[in-house]
Amino acid sequence: DARDDDSLLALRLSEQLQQRGILISAIRPPTVPKGTARLRITLSAAHSEDQVQQLLEALAQLKGQMSCHAPGKQQGPGQCR
C-alpha cells in the first residue's frame, strides 16, 4: 500500500539523519493520518547557524537519494546516481 510507503520513507530519513548526528523524529500513524507520515523538525534559539546549515545540507542530500530509491518510484536511465 502506497500509504505505508511514506511511513517507511520517513523512518529511513530519520535514521539517515541520526547517522549524521541530527535528531529528527519520524511521525507516523496513528499520530498522523495514514498516508501523511512526516519528519518533525524542531528548531530553537539554542541551535547555531552552522547546525541549521548542516540540517539543510543533509536534507538536500537525502532528498536526492531518497527520491531515487523511494518505494514505488521508477527512474529512467541516468536520473539517479
Side-chain angles (χ1 to χ4, degrees), residues 11-42:
L11 280 172
R12 273 198 268 164
L13 286 167
S14 177
E15 291 167 357
Q16 290 289 319
L17 289 164
Q18 188 173 6
Q19 290 175 3
R20 296 168 185 239
I22 302 169
L23 182 60
I24 300 292
S25 300
I27 308 301
R28 304 170 288 135
T31 306
V32 296
K34 194 167 186 174
T36 65
R38 61 197 76 174
L39 297 176
R40 177 173 289 154
I41 299 173
T42 305

Side-chain angles (χ1 to χ4, degrees), residues 17 20 54-66:
L17 289 164
R20 296 168 185 239
Q54 178 187 7
L55 170 62
L56 294 174
E57 290 171 4
L59 288 172
Q61 290 172 356
L62 291 173
K63 178 184 175 192
Q65 290 175 11
M66 292 298 167

Side-chain angles (χ1 to χ4, degrees), residues 22 43 45-58:
I22 302 169
L43 298 175
H47 288 100
S48 69
E49 287 185 37
D50 287 341
Q51 289 171 318
V52 174
Q53 189 61 40
Q54 178 187 7
L55 170 62
L56 294 174
E57 290 171 4

